[in-house]
Structure formats: structure tokens, C-alpha cells
Amino acid sequence: MDNSMFCYQCEQTLGGKGCVKSGVCGKNPTVANLQDVLIHELKGVGFYGQKNLEKGLKIRSEINKFVVDGMFSTLTNVNFDPTRFVEYVKKAEEIKEELKKAVGEIMNVPEAAKYKAPETMEGMLEDAEKLGIMADEKLDMDIRALRELLIYGFKGMAAYAHHAYILGKFDDEVNNFFYKGLSGTIDDSLSVEDLFNLNMELGKTNIKCMAMLDSAVTGAFGNPEPTQVLITKKKGPFIIVSGHDFKDLKELLEQTEGKGINVYTHCEMLPGNAYPELKKFKHLVGNYGGAWQKQQEEFDGIPGCILMTTNCVQKPRDSYKDRLFTTSIVGMPDCPHIDEVNGKKDFTPIIEKALELKGWQEDEPEKRITIGFAHHAILSHANEIVDAVKSGKIKHFFLIGGCDGARPGRNYYTEFAEKTPKDTIILTLACGKFRFNKLDLGTVAGFPRVLDCGQCSDSYSAVKVAMALAEAFECGVNDLPLSLVLSWYEQKAVGILLALLSLGIKDIRLGPSLPAFITPNIMQVLVDKFDLKPISSPEDDLKAIWAK
């Protein structure tokens, strides 16, 4: 059994080429290789699922959700627990057999779909060497790149579909495309052009998926409202909620009400403070810390608890391992996990631990930031924004957002935001905003210059705002005074990029580095077709934007 691995799905992959001994994200070869086996199994599930759909057979909703959760579990910084992946692989094998039996005899079954996973972790790890990304050394590099681009786009879309499922929303078109696309990754008859088009189709489907999630979240928690959020500590016991799952946050708020526990959001949960159905809880006191990659430092020895609802989780230091609780898709060996039972979660263990730790002993001087500018809030002022543009008060819009990370070079986004002219507006979302969301960049035309649109899950807000502005100005999105400067780290960013490209949006700047899984040939296609470009320096990029 080999103790090596290969993974290049995230921006911080070793040397910009690939992690081969352990993941920069913290996953070890055992977890990485089990993830490879699971993805291979899901490709087979995709093949038989697509054959079922072609015959007009309905696929059980439990299977659709498993495919979504299985893909999401392999996204960067979600699950580091090998035992959970063994169970996922076993379940995928069962589902594949069910779909195979339902569809009957098929000609020309790909070898990948014929694969049968072993029952033990040891057997799965032995097989992993034959199933990984680079297992087929003869595979055309561009074909491999487009297959991996598709897989990573699916991982991103699976995150959004998972959150919608949690809130009781799903869509047959979104579910069905998982089978079509996964089947396409093992179809040797597909050309480079076919796979490129399949990636664009994923982008369009992801827009539908994000719209579904937007509807699910606003339906459950109301439309975000511009809100001043405390970002300093308050005296008393506390629980910090990280990840992306607002349903978990609400359940925790309900169970902690009246118990003397303060609840803070962390990283991508920050926008939760702007939703009416969450902010009504007075013990949701604010947000703690910054972006995900600083958690080991920010959580070090804290006298309170952390609940990780989804990505991004890092391997915890010993100083807080006993107080980091995971739930849902998240997995971390040796950390307590809270399961859902009959549609409910019992947060008693984390509540008791928080009370035992007693929390911070004194208040910090208060400091607040403004959030809550999702599409509903922004578009309610559409006429004022349009008038401000026409009168010259607002000269340009910048969308600066995406994933944050630890790699050097991400200060670019702070410097870029600082150097944008004072008569421009910055739309931001996802954890990339933590590079500049605490800076005082002033106001323009009565609006804060930085408008926080929410989580990466709220990327649909930015799309909706851009489309509405284009309609108001009777022009295409590419003709708007709008520039997109994006940072990426993991696969949700890949799904969002494919969504933007599928809309024909051009001239996107992407950084801090370009994906290792994209070959020069495929990158050239993206440059020629969409004018996609890497970031350079804030000064040069701003100069180029103004020169257009």
C-alpha cells in the first residue's frame, strides 16, 4: 500500500503543481486516497443514474442527496475523517448496484462504472493507486484538465445543493445534471469541445442551483438587511459558529436562548447577523475573527466552543481540540460530532462545554462593521444607484471577492480595495472580503463604498445585481462600468467561475495564482473566449481597467 497521494484541486496546492505526500490543507494520504475512491465510485453512479434517466426512470431523492453530499464531502477542508469516507464508499457501491439493477442490461459500460469497491479500508487504499487523478498516464492532458474542471465544479455546486436540501429545497434539473456530468467524465468518446461545453452547461446549472439556494435561505430566514455587526468580544460563555449552515445556527440559537451563552458567527457565517429570523435572537451578539485560514491562531486556547457546520475546517491545535464540535458533512478525527436524529440536532454537549469554560472575563471596546447588502437590499435602491451613475457621482463598480487563503500574494486584494477611487463602489462576498471589510473606505452618493453581499453561497446576489443594472442601463453586463477581481481557493470558486463564464461575462481577473489543473491549451481557450486574465499588481490592473 502506497503512502503517497496526488491532489491539485485547491489554489494552495504544493508548488502550484500538486500535493504528493500530504495536503497543504491538512489531509493525509489515507483521506486523500479514500476521496479518490469515492469520486471514482460516484462517476459510476453517474453513469448508471444517467442510463436510468434516459429510460425515463425516476431516481429516489435519497440517492440524489447522497450524490450531492458525497461530492461535497471531498471539497477542500470539509472532512478529514477516514472512517466516514469508508462508509461513503460502501454506500456509493450499494447505490450503484441499485441503479444498475433498475436499468437492466447495457452495452458498452465504461471500465470505471464496472469497478466494485472493496469492503475494507485496506482494500480501498490498495485500489486507490489505480483510480487517482494521474492513474491513466496515457490520458490526453487537455481531456484530463476538462474532466477535473468538471469534477471540481460539481464539488462546488454540491455545496450549494447541500445547503438547499438542508432547507427542504431541491431541483430535478440540478440533480439530473450531476448524473449527466459525472457520466461524462468517464466517457472516452467526448472530445475537448464536448467537455468544454459540458463545463459551460455546469455553469448554467449552477446559476439555477444558486438561485434555488437563495430562495431557500430567504424563504427560511428573510431577506438580509443592512446591519451594524459587533466584531469585538463580550464578557461571558460563548459558542462560535463557523461554516455556512444557517439552519444549524438557528437551532443552536433556539437551544441556547436564556442560558447565558453568547453566540458569535465566524468567517462565512458573518452574513447570518443580517437575516431577520436570526438577528432577532439577542444572544447572537456579533462576529468573531476573520477568514477561515486564521482559525488555528484565533481559536488557540479560547475559553469557549466552536461549532463547525461546513467547510472550512483546519486540523485543530491541542489547545482547543476538545472544544471544537463538528456536524453534518464536516469530519475531524478525535473531535466530538453532533448528528441529526429525526430531523433535529441536540446541541447539549457543546452548550454544557461552553458553560464549563466560562468564556471571556471582560468586554472589549466595541467596534462594528456594516453588512447585509444582498440583492434585495441593493436593488431596493436601484433608482438611486442608476441616478448616481448617470450624474457621475458613482464612476465604477468593482466586485472584489471570493475565497481567502494563506498563500502570499493575497494582500493584493487589500491594496486593490484601498487604491480604488473614492467615487467607486466595491461589491464583495465570501471570505475574500476579510482582506478589507474592516477598513474605513468611506461613502459615495450616500452608500457605503463597501457593500457586503454575503457568503460565497450568495454569489447569485452579485449576478442578480449585475443583470438588473444591465437592464436599467439597457446594455449587456460586459458593457457596464463593472470589473470583476476574484480570488479563489477551493472548488466553490470553480463552480462560480464556470457560472460567470456561462453567462458570457468577460475580462475577469483571477488570482492569486491560476489553477494547477488547467493546462496551457485550455487556459488559452479561456483567454481567447472570455479574456480571462491573472491578476498582476493593483496599480497595473487599475490602470488597465481605466484604459478600457
Side-chain angles (χ1 to χ4, degrees):
M1 192 164 21
D2 195 357
N3 198 34
S4 63
M5 58 178 280
F6 184 83
C7 181
Y8 59 2
Q9 69 178 8
C10 84
E11 191 272 335
Q12 291 183 183
T13 194
L14 190 65
K17 295 179 179 179
C19 296
V20 294
K21 291 185 177 178
S22 65
V24 172
C25 67
K27 68 182 174 186
N28 59 34
T30 296
V31 169
N33 290 324
L34 289 172
Q35 288 182 354
D36 286 345
V37 177
L38 176 57
I39 291 296
H40 194 77
E41 276 286 318
L42 289 171
K43 291 175 182 178
V45 170
F47 174 79
Y48 285 110
Q50 179 63 14
K51 293 302 178 185
N52 272 259
L53 294 173
E54 289 171 1
K55 283 198 169 188
L57 301 174
K58 190 168 179 61
I59 298 174
R60 290 189 295 115
S61 60
E62 293 84 359
I63 293 177
N64 292 331
K65 187 173 186 303
F66 175 80
V67 172
V68 164
D69 288 354
M71 293 298 295
F72 185 21
S73 72
T74 67
L75 189 143
T76 304
N77 289 95
V78 172
N79 197 325
F80 294 86
D81 188 345
T83 60
R84 297 268 295 279
F85 284 107
V86 171
E87 294 308 310
Y88 277 129
V89 171
K90 288 180 180 179
K91 185 66 176 176
E93 184 64 44
E94 288 177 18
I95 287 172
K96 188 169 67 174
E97 287 301 311
E98 179 183 332
L99 294 171
K100 180 180 177 181
K101 184 177 179 181
V103 81
E105 195 67 30
I106 304 175
M107 301 291 289
N108 303 319
V109 178
E111 287 301 315
K114 294 178 184 177
Y115 172 73
K116 183 171 178 60
E119 286 288 316
T120 65
M121 183 187 295
E122 291 73 18
M124 293 174 193
L125 292 172
E126 285 179 12
D127 282 2
E129 296 175 47
K130 307 181 291 243
L131 307 177
I133 296 165
M134 296 297 180
D136 183 357
E137 297 177 357
K138 297 179 181 178
L139 184 64
D140 179 85
M141 288 173 57
D142 295 333
I143 293 288
R144 178 186 286 115
L146 288 168
R147 286 179 175 181
E148 292 304 308
L149 180 61
L150 195 60
I151 288 293
Y152 304 150
F154 269 126
K155 292 185 182 191
M157 188 165 76
Y160 303 137
H162 165 86
H163 292 305
Y165 261 115
I166 292 295
L167 296 172
K169 293 275 189 179
F170 59 88
D171 181 89
D172 285 341
E173 183 181 331
V174 173
N175 287 331
N176 292 349
F177 187 70
F178 274 94
Y179 301 106
K180 178 181 178 180
L182 287 169
S183 180
T185 64
I186 55 175
D187 185 348
D188 290 334
S189 72
L190 297 186
S191 64
V192 166
E193 184 178 2
D194 294 331
L195 286 167
F196 183 86
N197 291 337
L198 206 51
N199 273 281
M200 292 300 103
E201 190 176 348
L202 186 148
K204 289 178 181 176
T205 309
N206 196 28
I207 292 169
K208 189 175 186 71
C209 185
M210 289 191 291
M212 171 180 68
L213 176 58
D214 178 78
S215 173
V217 172
T218 56
F221 308 111
N223 284 300
E225 303 165 342
T227 303
Q228 288 274 309
V229 179
L230 184 75
I231 57 171
T232 46
K233 302 172 188 173
K234 288 185 72 68
K235 180 180 178 180
F238 64 89
I239 297 173
I240 296 166
V241 184
S242 194
H244 303 76
D245 198 317
F246 293 140
K247 185 182 177 187
D248 282 336
L249 175 58
K250 186 176 183 184
E251 283 194 36
L252 180 69
L253 287 167
E254 290 169 342
Q255 293 180 37
T256 50
E257 196 164 24
K259 288 186 167 65
I261 294 175
N262 292 324
V263 176
Y264 298 82
T265 57
H266 172 259
C267 195
E268 287 272 58
M269 292 298 286
L270 166 63
N273 293 276
Y275 285 89
E277 287 300 307
L278 297 173
K279 64 190 288 189
K280 70 181 183 182
F281 291 94
K282 301 305 180 188
H283 62 300
L284 176 61
V285 294
N287 189 76
Y288 173 77
W292 67 274
Q293 79 278 1
K294 294 183 177 180
Q295 65 190 257
Q296 289 178 328
E297 172 189 336
E298 292 176 342
F299 296 164
D300 190 21
I302 58 171
C305 293
I306 310 106
L307 176 65
M308 272 291 176
T309 65
T310 56
N311 66 311
C312 304
V313 62
Q314 290 183 309
K315 185 178 179 181
R317 294 178 179 175
D318 289 341
S319 66
Y320 67 91
K321 187 195 297 185
D322 66 328
R323 58 204 68 177
L324 186 142
F325 291 71
T326 63
T327 190
S328 186
I329 301 295
V330 193
M332 183 63 68
D334 304 323
C335 286
H337 186 78
I338 295 174
D339 281 314
E340 184 175 86
V341 180
N342 298 323
K344 282 287 184 182
K345 295 181 181 180
D346 183 359
F347 290 111
T348 300
I350 192 171
I351 291 170
E352 291 178 345
K353 185 71 175 177
L355 291 170
E356 174 193 324
L357 291 167
K358 299 189 184 324
W360 286 303
Q361 297 303 302
E362 57 185 30
D363 293 340
E364 277 187 335
E366 286 196 5
K367 184 177 180 183
R368 296 177 184 269
I369 58 173
T370 304
I371 65 166
F373 290 96
H375 61 84
H376 183 269
I378 293 177
L379 295 181
S380 67
H381 296 282
N383 291 336
E384 298 160 61
I385 292 172
V386 170
D387 289 345
V389 173
K390 287 181 177 178
S391 67
K393 291 179 182 176
I394 298 176
K395 291 288 197 333
H396 204 81
F397 296 88
F398 295 94
L399 175 58
I400 311 174
C403 311
D404 201 8
R407 183 191 289 273
R410 289 183 181 268
N411 283 341
Y412 165 95
Y413 298 94
T414 310
E415 294 169 16
F416 190 99
E418 289 175 322
K419 292 179 186 297
T420 54
K422 297 189 186 307
D423 54 3
T424 63
I425 279 183
I426 297 171
L427 304 174
T428 190
L429 45 78
C431 60
K433 64 173 164 268
F434 285 99
R435 288 284 165 174
F436 54 84
N437 70 333
K438 295 175 184 176
L439 300 177
D440 183 5
L441 296 182
T443 61
V444 58
F447 296 95
R449 284 201 53 230
V450 177
L451 300 181
D452 185 345
C453 297
Q455 297 181 336
C456 63
S457 309
D458 298 313
S459 298
Y460 178 70
S461 271
V463 171
K464 197 159 183 177
V465 168
M467 294 298 186
L469 288 174
E471 185 177 342
F473 287 108
E474 299 181 345
C475 67
V477 173
N478 291 315
D479 300 316
L480 286 171
L482 169 67
S483 299
L484 281 71
V485 185
L486 305 181
S487 55
W488 81 284
Y489 171 69
E490 38 88 329
Q491 298 78 63
K492 281 183 283 184
V494 176
I496 292 168
L497 179 63
L498 291 174
L500 294 173
L501 297 180
S502 76
L503 291 170
I505 294 176
K506 296 184 177 181
D507 201 27
I508 298 172
R509 285 172 167 79
L510 184 66
S513 63
L514 295 177
F517 51 84
I518 297 293
T519 59
N521 288 339
I522 302 303
M523 182 54 66
Q524 193 59 50
V525 171
L526 296 175
V527 169
D528 294 343
K529 194 171 180 66
F530 301 106
D531 201 19
L532 184 68
K533 51 176 67 73
I535 60 171
S536 56
S537 70
E539 295 84 359
D540 289 346
D541 286 345
L542 279 166
K543 190 182 298 183
I545 287 168
W546 293 126
K548 286 190 66 176

